[in-house]
Amino acid sequence: MAAETLAPGARRLGFRTRFFYGFGSVAFGVKDNGFSFFLAFFYAQVLGLPAAKVGVAIMAALVIDAFIDPVLGQLSDNTRSKWGRRHPFMYAAALPVAVSYLLLWNPPTGWSENAQIAYLVGVAVLIRTFISAYEIPSAALAAELTTDYDERTRLLSYRFLFSWLGGLAMYGLALSVFLRPTPEHPVGQLNAEGYHDYGLFAGGLMLFAILVSAIGTHREIRRLREPPHERLSMGRFWIEMFGTLANRSFLMILASSFFLATAIGLGFAITLYFSTYFWEFSAAQIAGFTFSSLIAAVVAFATAARIGQRFDKKPAALVMLPMAMMLSVSPVVLRLLGLMPENGTTALYVWIFANNVATVTLGTAGSILFVSMIADVVEDAELKTGRRQEGLFFAAPAFVNKAVSGLGIFGAGMIVDAVGFPEGVAPGAVPADILRNLGLVYVPVQVALYGLATLLLLGYRISRTSHAETLRRLAAQAELAHEPEPGVGVRS
């Protein structure tokens, strides 16, 4: 296979490096899982805030992120310290990430509706900013640790695996420990105190994951590139940033992944509504879906690199997107047609469990390839601009990953509000026409989002062959730059 031969100058990374690089994404998995599955539900159904306002609040935080993330990436690219470019940010972000996540799940009581919405926006911006200060520099290491086309996919598979493991472990703990049913709260998902305890435990886990990853990858600092030893004015800072981000392949993969992330995020954000009210699963049954996603994450980890070795990343992703879309909406479509098993039956649970395995496997493997494709833009841009800016480019997947929760919550809030979904209602008490409308709105929105992601991906132009040629030309330029000028060092 093509991946058996490394590109010139590329490194074959050992398990230790891959492990510690990937382990830090546990923090992002915990944060993103909480945002995607619980945050909208907590603020709307538990605290009683309007679902549409909650969606707008999270969307507002996401818009602010759009400006913060590229700046953090550019700052990381141009940082000089004894700990390199990335690790100062990684260490500094650890404690603020944990504290801000704790605050998110412990909002003040007795405040007005608008004050609580403002609190949500402010704390959401804090946690997103601090997680970016870790995630962007950490993710940028992928393009620095190796330049090989396939080794990058293998390395990023570890990152996605640990992100899923961290998020799923915290999801399972939340439903089985912190949100378990009690006599006072027979529907555990509506227990406000459980969310407070969840925030405390999750924040501690995020702190641990970030520190372990930063310490574990610290020895790689000596092998990483140093930025140019030159002063960067504010004007040049912005000119270089926008000039680099104008790369065509980057813009197309970014736009495609943005719509893909929105579709995935919408599915995540609304899944608790579907699981609790549409399918009427119990908290224990919903927690059981953790294992379906765990199976999917492991399968995606084992297969993404192999798929990337056998096929170019772009055509592989173009096949996965339509397949993921069809699988993601098929249970809802079949229920609307009256072809799904009845609620409360084992057959329904098995069907949804198996469908989740297949959908999440395709979505995760496709996401791994997407981020690996962004990593390959680094050299393409370097050849065109003369600048190597891993942090700036990896601000894009960091922002897109946060779009999973931000736009997902916004979209879910709009859908829930549009169909007139009642607040604080028990499963089985939602009118049938509202549940039907929920499905009728959700399905076409998902089809449109996945369709746009597929069309935009066609504009990405980097292949295995073109990437190898780019590396060859960069190597030739480097050799030419180090050749002595004619006559220098020659005795007469």
Side-chain angles (χ1 to χ4, degrees):
M1 288 187 292
E4 294 302 315
T5 302
L6 288 177
R11 294 176 59 202
R12 175 79 73 190
L13 303 174
F15 172 77
R16 183 185 186 280
T17 299
R18 294 174 189 161
F19 175 87
F20 284 116
Y21 172 79
F23 188 80
S25 64
V26 165
F28 188 87
V30 170
K31 171 262 164 191
D32 206 51
N33 189 280
F35 266 67
S36 297
F37 287 106
F38 296 125
L39 190 63
F41 193 90
F42 171 62
Y43 275 86
Q45 295 296 320
V46 180
L47 299 184
L49 298 177
K53 285 190 175 182
V54 172
V56 171
I58 303 303
M59 183 66 177
L62 183 66
V63 170
I64 296 172
D65 272 343
F67 297 94
I68 294 175
D69 286 359
V71 173
L72 284 170
Q74 182 83 323
L75 287 173
S76 175
D77 285 333
N78 291 280
T79 294
R80 291 194 296 271
S81 77
K82 64 179 181 180
W83 287 353
R85 294 191 285 173
R86 316 302 178 188
H87 282 74
F89 290 88
M90 295 162 66
Y91 284 117
L95 186 59
V97 163
V99 172
S100 55
Y101 198 70
L102 172 63
L103 292 174
L104 187 66
W105 303 97
N106 289 270
T109 58
W111 285 20
S112 68
E113 180 181 291
N114 288 336
Q116 286 186 313
I117 290 292
Y119 178 88
L120 171 58
V121 173
V123 179
V125 169
L126 280 180
I127 179 61
R128 287 181 179 281
T129 300
F130 291 134
I131 202 72
S132 288
Y134 166 74
E135 183 72 11
I136 293 171
S138 174
L141 290 174
E144 292 191 84
L145 290 170
T146 181
T147 58
D148 186 72
Y149 186 83
D150 295 304
E151 185 69 9
R152 283 174 170 172
T153 306
R154 187 178 296 110
L155 177 62
L156 288 163
S157 296
Y158 280 78
R159 193 168 194 87
F160 275 81
L161 175 65
F162 279 106
S163 178
W164 272 101
L165 291 178
L168 291 173
M170 200 62 248
Y171 179 71
L173 282 172
L175 289 170
S176 60
V177 177
F178 302 112
L179 302 179
R180 66 181 183 275
T182 65
E184 297 79 13
H185 299 281
V187 180
Q189 300 95 301
L190 299 175
N191 183 0
E193 290 298 322
Y195 288 97
H196 305 333
D197 297 336
Y198 155 80
L200 178 62
F201 186 90
L205 179 58
M206 295 165 81
L207 174 65
F208 175 76
I210 290 174
L211 290 178
V212 167
S213 181
I215 294 169
T217 57
H218 196 95
R219 71 173 188 171
E220 298 291 337
I221 294 173
R222 58 189 173 87
R223 298 189 178 98
L224 305 179
R225 290 193 177 198
E226 291 186 13
H229 290 270
E230 56 185 18
R231 293 183 62 86
L232 189 64
S233 67
M234 187 57 67
R236 185 176 172 188
F237 177 94
W238 290 104
I239 291 171
E240 287 192 0
M241 184 173 74
F242 286 109
T244 299
L245 295 181
N247 182 280
R248 175 185 169 84
S249 288
F250 169 76
L251 291 176
M252 299 308 291
I253 188 66
L254 177 63
S256 178
S257 57
F258 185 79
F259 284 105
L260 175 64
T262 303
I264 294 172
L266 174 58
F268 285 160
I270 210 166
T271 191
L272 204 55
Y273 282 92
F274 274 97
S275 297
T276 303
Y277 300 108
F278 197 85
W279 308 117
E280 296 182 11
F281 294 131
S282 67
Q285 287 177 313
I286 296 172
F289 287 121
T290 301
F291 296 102
S292 70
S293 297
L294 176 60
I295 293 168
V298 172
V299 173
F301 168 76
T303 58
R306 289 184 173 88
I307 292 171
Q309 290 171 0
R310 188 173 183 85
F311 308 100
D312 268 15
K313 299 168 189 177
K314 173 182 168 179
L318 284 171
V319 172
M320 289 180 180
L321 285 181
M323 292 177 63
M325 180 272 292
M326 289 187 289
L327 285 170
S328 71
V329 302
S330 61
V332 178
V333 172
L334 291 173
R335 167 54 63 86
L336 293 174
L337 295 174
L339 300 176
M340 285 291 285
E342 293 295 321
N343 288 358
T345 62
T346 302
L348 175 66
Y349 191 79
V350 171
W351 185 295
I352 300 297
F353 189 98
N355 182 269
N356 192 54
V357 171
T359 302
V360 176
T361 295
L362 284 171
T364 304
S367 296
I368 292 170
L369 293 177
F370 264 68
V371 178
S372 186
M373 290 161 75
I374 290 177
D376 295 335
V377 176
V378 170
E379 286 81 24
D380 184 65
E382 183 183 7
L383 185 64
K384 294 172 180 176
T385 67
R387 299 185 297 272
R388 189 173 180 90
Q389 296 170 289
E390 298 92 343
L392 183 55
F393 281 115
F394 273 87
F399 172 70
V400 168
N401 283 337
K402 286 184 290 188
V404 168
S405 55
L407 289 176
I409 291 173
F410 174 75
M414 294 299 101
I415 291 174
V416 167
D417 187 65
V419 302
F421 204 95
E423 296 176 3
V425 66
V430 180
D433 62 322
I434 290 181
L435 292 176
R436 185 172 183 274
N437 290 339
L438 184 67
L440 287 174
V441 175
Y442 170 75
V443 170
V445 170
Q446 286 291 73
V447 171
L449 290 172
Y450 274 102
L452 286 169
T454 303
L455 289 174
L456 288 164
L457 185 58
L458 294 171
Y460 181 84
R461 295 177 174 177
I462 301 173
S463 64
R464 184 193 307 278
T465 302
S466 69
H467 183 256
E469 173 62 17
T470 297
L471 292 178
R472 186 196 66 76
R473 292 173 65 183
L474 287 172
Q477 288 180 1
E479 289 181 8
L480 185 63
H482 286 88
E483 285 183 0
E485 295 181 11
V488 175
V490 180
R491 293 184 179 180
S492 57

